[in-house]
């Protein structure tokens, strides 16, 4: 729910979130720490896996789709973030650039459900991007796109945002620069004056 939390904090009269200075590393949030611990305890688990499969009918340009996905990753630091230990603390390391490519393969339509299940595998929180994409060619003008994200980078509202931007980028739109990123929220939350225990009413409403 990080997108909702950021929006709520920006609108509230409590302590709006300012953009954080660009830096090498950022503090991990309590939610990220919890997911990291659980991920390390069960590295093969898909508990925090966020898969979405889209059936795409009609003409499709795989190269344009790959470029749109690359632009999406470049736009959002949370997709380029890895969790690493530094100075005895778990930190977010936001990469300036990460390599991203669209996997492609042929698949018989009758095998699609099985193949989608076979493709699912955990994402490594220490090795961004926290997004994987596979395009399955089912026939002429018929494709399925499997997107896999980690819950550390994506919730339901964020997924809607990313899918909307992906469609617009594929369509050739130039999007405005994104506003706050998750790292901005993490820096804000780490300040002592923003300790959730001191903001009972706000966090009761937000969470």
């Amino acid at each position: 729910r990080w997108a909702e939390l950021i929006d709520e904090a920006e609108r509230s009269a409590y302590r709006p979130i300012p953009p954080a200075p660009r830096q090498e590393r950022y503090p991990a949030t309590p939610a990220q720490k919890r997911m990291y611990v659980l991920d390390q305890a069960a590295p093969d688990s898909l508990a925090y896996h966020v898969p979405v499969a889209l059936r795409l009918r009609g003409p499709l340009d795989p190269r344009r789709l790959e470029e749109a996905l690359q632009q999406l990753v470049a736009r959002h630091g949370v997709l380029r973030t890895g969790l690493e230990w530094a100075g005895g603390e778990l930190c977010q390391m936001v990469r300036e650039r990460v390599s991203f490519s669209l996997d492609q393969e042929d698949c018989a339509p009758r095998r699609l459900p099985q193949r989608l299940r076979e493709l699912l595998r955990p994402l490594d929180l220490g090795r961004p991007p926290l997004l994987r994409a596979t395009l399955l060619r089912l026939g002429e003008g018929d494709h399925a796109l499997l997107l896999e994200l980690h819950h550390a980078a994506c919730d339901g509202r964020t997924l809607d945002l990313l899918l909307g931007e992906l469609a617009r980028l594929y369509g050739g739109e130039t999007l405005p620069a994104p506003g706050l990123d998750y790292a901005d929220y993490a820096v804000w939350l780490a300040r002592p004056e923003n300790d959730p225990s001191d903001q009972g009413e706000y966090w009761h409403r937000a969470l």
Side-chain angles (χ1 to χ4, degrees), residues 36-201:
Y36 181 86
V37 169
L38 294 173
D39 184 77
Q40 294 298 299
D44 295 327
S45 173
L46 295 174
Y48 288 101
H49 207 64
V50 183
V52 57
L54 306 171
R55 191 71 176 259
L56 307 175
R57 301 184 188 274
L60 180 73
D61 184 338
R63 181 57 190 164
R64 277 178 57 195
L65 179 58
E66 182 177 60
E67 290 174 350
L69 286 162
Q70 291 170 341
Q71 291 176 60
L72 196 68
V73 171
R75 281 176 55 79
H76 295 286
V78 70
L79 297 177
R80 306 190 311 276
T81 296
L83 296 181
E84 300 178 8
W85 290 96
E89 295 288 336
L90 186 65
C91 299
Q92 299 183 64
M93 311 290 283
V94 183
R95 310 298 199 274
E96 285 296 320
R97 297 179 182 83
V98 294
S99 176
F100 182 89
S101 60
L102 173 65
D103 296 330
Q104 302 181 49
E105 62 179 67
D106 294 320
C107 178
R110 60 182 175 78
R111 288 201 65 247
L112 179 59
Q114 176 184 347
R115 185 57 184 147
L116 289 174
R117 289 192 295 270
E118 292 171 349
L119 285 169
L120 297 180
R121 60 192 191 279
L123 289 153
D124 187 343
L125 284 174
R127 298 180 61 187
L130 298 183
L131 167 67
R132 186 163 54 235
T134 305
L135 182 67
L136 298 103
R137 294 179 292 266
L138 305 174
E140 185 67 28
D142 191 7
H143 298 79
L145 176 64
L146 175 64
L147 301 176
E148 301 173 80
L149 301 100
H150 197 285
H151 192 51
C154 179
D155 56 16
R157 182 172 176 182
T158 309
L159 180 59
D160 289 341
L161 169 70
L162 295 176
L163 291 177
E165 288 193 357
L166 177 61
R168 294 169 66 189
L169 290 168
Y170 178 80
E173 288 190 43
T174 299
L175 303 184
L180 293 176
D181 212 337
Y182 192 56
D184 300 310
Y185 166 68
V187 171
W188 176 86
L189 185 62
R191 294 173 180 168
E193 66 270 23
N194 295 326
D195 185 337
S197 64
D198 294 334
Q199 301 181 58
E201 181 182 353

